[in-house]
Amino acid sequence: MAEARIIDGKGFAASLRARIAVAVEDLRTRHALVPGLAVVLVGEDPASQIYVRNKGEQTREVGMHSVTHRLPVDTSQEGLLRLVNQLNQDPSIHGILVQLPLPGHIDTQAVLSAIDPAKDVDGFHVVNTGRLSVGLPALVPCTPLGCMMLLKDTLSDLRGMNAVVIGRSNIVGKPMAQLLLAADCTVTIAHSRTRDLPAVARQADILIAAVGRPEMVRGDWIKEGATVIDVGINRVPARDPAAAAAGKTRIVGDVAYAEAAAVAGAITPVPGGVGPMTIACLLSNTVTAACRAAGVAVPAGVGL
Ligand code: NAD
């Protein structure tokens, strides 16, 4: 059995950003439309600060309007809701992203529900969740959207395939399952209470791992030739014992990559697979939201 084809998410994300940059320039010149993304960060969580900086940089790189609001950790819920409302009213802003997690004194659901669904580029508002589940045009959460783009690029026609999604979070697992269903897959959602998970996983022509447990999915869980999408991002000690003792770490996925690559037909690496697709899909969603707001067709190659 040949080694699996590596699904190059990093390369795909770069080409998606390039297509978005062309589309943004075209929207600006032909429709005087500049898609705008506002990112709101409350507090100083170091990982969130990096994500927010990257989002701002990539938004500007493709020629879009980018605004970042950094609020102190003790911002009140009312203060945050006031800002969301202002952004809802602002015609230069087509996408609003409130970086999660929010500090404990703020009701996350109340804030997400306050975002205008038409500007909800994270796709977490129940209106978008509902629209996705009934097959209406929706803004789709960025990570599963990115997985779906990679799957369509790898397999082109997913109809009738058995897809198993491990993980049932609102951010990844559930919307992923909805997208696979919409692509006519036969979908199983597995989770922490699933009985005999390896046997369930072995049924999959398409296996999505979105669990958050380092290298949980072993090679013998994978059907020969399956397409494996590893969403997990887990920090573990460095391989070299001296480096590990010095506190050095590395990132691994939810799939034991080397074992899986020996059996699968195609597989995403970690890092360099799903991860880079997430921000690229945020940009894609912002262009989609801007086009829908302006009544302009979404340019080809930007969405799913
Ligand atoms: P989550 O913690 O919200 O959900 C994890 C899911 O895994 C739960 O539904 C749970 O039922 C299931 N689970 C837990 N233990 C299990 C077990 N032993 N067997 C089977 N199922 C089990 O996590 P999430 O937000 O969905 O993220 C999942 C992973 O994806 C994490 O590693 C996260 O860092 C990563 N992630 C990556 C991106 C990206 O941009 N690539 C984006 C979001 C999340």
Side-chain angles (χ1 to χ4, degrees):
M1 177 80 197
E3 187 83 355
R5 171 184 160 194
I6 297 170
I7 301 173
D8 178 11
K10 192 173 173 200
F12 191 98
S15 62
L16 176 58
R17 287 196 304 274
R19 291 196 295 278
I20 291 171
V22 170
V24 166
E25 178 58 14
D26 189 56
L27 291 170
R28 193 179 64 77
T29 51
R30 292 205 304 138
H31 300 281
L33 175 62
V34 180
L37 174 66
V39 176
V40 180
L41 172 63
V42 184
E44 284 169 9
D45 176 69
S48 294
Q49 282 183 331
I50 295 170
Y51 292 143
V52 165
R53 199 179 59 224
N54 289 343
K55 284 167 186 171
E57 278 172 13
Q58 294 192 25
T59 307
R60 282 186 292 279
E61 271 167 27
V62 297
M64 303 201 305
H65 174 50
S66 161
V67 182
T68 304
H69 291 270
R70 291 187 170 79
L71 306 181
V73 68
D74 59 358
T75 299
S76 68
Q77 181 162 321
E78 293 65 38
L80 179 55
L81 288 173
R82 252 195 315 278
L83 173 60
V84 167
N85 200 38
Q86 251 173 45
L87 296 169
N88 282 343
Q89 309 300 325
D90 184 341
S92 73
I93 297 298
H94 306 94
I96 303 169
L97 182 145
V98 177
Q99 184 66 43
L100 302 181
L102 288 168
H105 66 278
I106 295 178
D107 175 354
T108 300
Q109 205 50 53
V111 174
L112 296 180
S113 301
I115 296 172
D116 178 350
K119 297 189 177 187
D120 167 40
V121 282
D122 247 345
F124 296 160
H125 194 291
V126 288
V127 167
N128 281 312
T129 312
R131 291 177 72 90
L132 175 62
S133 77
V134 297
L136 287 171
L139 288 166
V140 176
C142 301
T143 300
L145 179 60
C147 294
M148 203 60 197
M149 287 184 186
L150 294 178
L151 279 171
K152 290 209 163 155
D153 187 58
T154 305
L155 295 167
S156 60
D157 187 0
L158 281 61
R159 270 180 299 182
M161 289 190 161
N162 279 338
V164 174
V165 181
I166 314 179
R168 58 175 159 182
S169 71
N170 291 335
I171 294 174
V172 188
K174 284 185 205 158
M176 188 71 242
Q178 292 287 0
L179 286 170
L180 290 161
L181 195 56
D184 294 328
C185 291
T186 302
V187 183
T188 303
I189 306 178
H191 46 78
S192 52
R193 300 297 168 95
T194 296
R195 289 198 195 127
D196 199 354
L197 186 56
V200 173
R202 273 193 289 272
Q203 302 298 312
D205 303 308
I206 296 169
L207 182 63
I208 315 275
V211 182
R213 290 183 185 261
E215 302 180 326
M216 184 186 83
V217 176
R218 311 308 310 187
D220 64 359
W221 294 28
I222 292 164
K223 180 176 174 176
E224 202 169 306
T227 301
V228 178
I229 304 288
D230 188 353
V231 183
I233 301 176
N234 308 291
R235 196 168 280 282
V236 298
R239 236 186 265 278
D240 171 45
K248 292 258 185 317
T249 58
R250 65 192 170 104
I251 301 286
V252 298
D254 290 343
V255 177
Y257 181 84
E259 288 176 21
V263 188
I267 185 167
T268 57
V270 177
V274 173
M277 290 299 291
T278 299
I279 298 184
C281 285
L282 173 67
L283 306 178
S284 156
N285 275 348
T286 306
V287 173
T288 300
C291 290
R292 286 185 188 152
V296 170
V298 179
V302 165
L304 242 194

